[in-house]
Amino acid sequence: MCTSLTTCEWKKVFYEKMEVAKPNDSWELIIDPNLKPNELAPGWKQYLEQHASGRFHCTWCWHTWQSANVVILFHMHLDRPQRMGSVRMRVFKQLCYECGTSRLDESSMLEENVESLVDNLITSLREQCYDEDGGQYRIHVATRPDSGSHRSEFCEACQEGIVHWKPSEKLLEEEATFSGASKPRAQESSGYNFFSLRWCLFWASLCLLIVYLQFSFRSSAFL
């Protein structure tokens, strides 16, 4: 039985996608609020989503806030002979910084965010449990640091020693390459802009030259 709408959504999306990815195996998703990072039983694997996007709602003062630093921990295990697998999941909570209550609040997520996060989970699961090429992880705007600074004193994951992910060097290089490539194209296109200052001066000089030659020709004709 689901304890919340978010839990039901996670399980619904996970079971639907696993049915497509691994139809011959049976997988279950268990919400475990006591899951600890890097504390794995023999044969278990770990996947850590460090910058999910979620909305929090304080049940004490009704304050709501958006965070792009929601941490989700997954532990995965596959029993190959039985063709049965299990995923244990923990979504780390945050404290309300408005009222200062010590009550940790859970996050809620949009359906499209849950789907993309489950896609990343299955990618990691295929790589670690099946030794397959899981494909490319989905990188979202939400996985990049937001404009506001992350307040670690109110983050349950930070208090348990989880260091938040930073954009990889490869991602930064790709962004720099893209922005660098766009500048020459802009400069190249501006070279053929007939309304630029250089072209305006050229056409103005040419018109003055034509007027001068016409005036000189008429003057010589009357002499």
Side-chain angles (χ1 to χ4, degrees):
M1 181 177 179
C2 298
T3 58
S4 68
L5 180 61
T6 301
T7 300
C8 290
E9 187 62 35
W10 272 100
K11 290 188 175 183
K12 173 179 175 292
V13 174
F14 176 75
Y15 293 145
E16 288 177 352
K17 289 183 176 290
M18 283 305 299
E19 183 65 26
V20 175
K22 294 296 175 182
N24 297 324
D25 295 344
S26 177
W27 280 85
E28 64 174 351
L29 177 64
I30 302 172
I31 307 300
D32 185 355
N34 299 315
L35 208 62
K36 299 292 184 182
N38 303 318
E39 295 184 8
L40 297 168
W44 284 74
K45 308 295 182 181
Q46 175 174 294
Y47 171 63
L48 186 66
E49 186 76 53
Q50 302 185 47
H51 270 275
S53 178
R55 178 173 292 277
F56 291 85
H57 174 77
C58 179
T59 55
W60 182 260
C61 71
W62 305 105
H63 172 64
T64 60
W65 68 96
Q66 183 78 20
S67 175
N69 298 279
V70 181
V71 177
I72 308 174
L73 176 64
F74 300 96
H75 285 181
M76 308 167 291
H77 179 263
L78 172 63
D79 186 338
R80 289 182 180 270
Q82 299 294 327
R83 303 191 71 89
M84 297 180 62
S86 178
V87 174
R88 307 188 77 88
M89 166 186 166
R90 177 185 178 184
V91 180
F92 286 86
K93 303 176 183 178
Q94 293 185 12
L95 291 169
C96 177
Y97 55 84
E98 285 290 334
C99 64
T101 180
S102 59
R103 179 183 175 87
L104 288 163
D105 296 295
E106 296 180 350
S107 65
S108 60
M109 298 180 182
L110 298 175
E111 181 178 354
E112 56 265 28
N113 289 343
V114 173
E115 289 187 357
S116 61
L117 292 169
V118 170
D119 284 339
N120 283 348
L121 168 62
I122 294 177
T123 296
S124 178
L125 186 148
R126 292 179 61 183
E127 292 175 349
Q128 298 193 73
C129 296
Y130 290 94
D131 298 323
E132 298 177 354
D133 181 8
Q136 186 175 6
Y137 287 86
R138 297 179 61 176
I139 301 178
H140 313 276
V141 176
T143 64
R144 306 186 187 193
D146 51 6
S147 56
S149 59
H150 179 61
R151 306 176 71 169
S152 59
E153 66 271 23
F154 297 101
C155 175
E156 185 183 30
C158 290
Q159 296 305 311
E160 296 201 13
I162 296 178
V163 180
H164 282 253
W165 169 89
K166 297 261 191 314
S168 65
E169 293 296 331
K170 183 178 180 180
L171 180 60
L172 293 176
E173 289 177 1
E174 289 176 354
E175 291 179 345
T177 302
F178 176 78
S179 60
S182 62
K183 290 180 179 179
R185 286 196 296 267
Q187 293 175 356
E188 181 181 357
S189 61
S190 64
Y192 295 96
N193 185 2
F194 288 92
F195 295 98
S196 63
L197 179 60
R198 181 179 299 178
W199 280 103
C200 288
L201 292 175
F202 171 78
W203 290 114
S205 301
L206 183 60
C207 290
L208 289 174
L209 179 60
I210 294 174
V211 172
Y212 173 76
L213 291 176
Q214 289 180 344
F215 179 78
S216 300
F217 176 77
R218 291 177 180 178
S219 300
S220 61
F222 285 108
L223 294 178

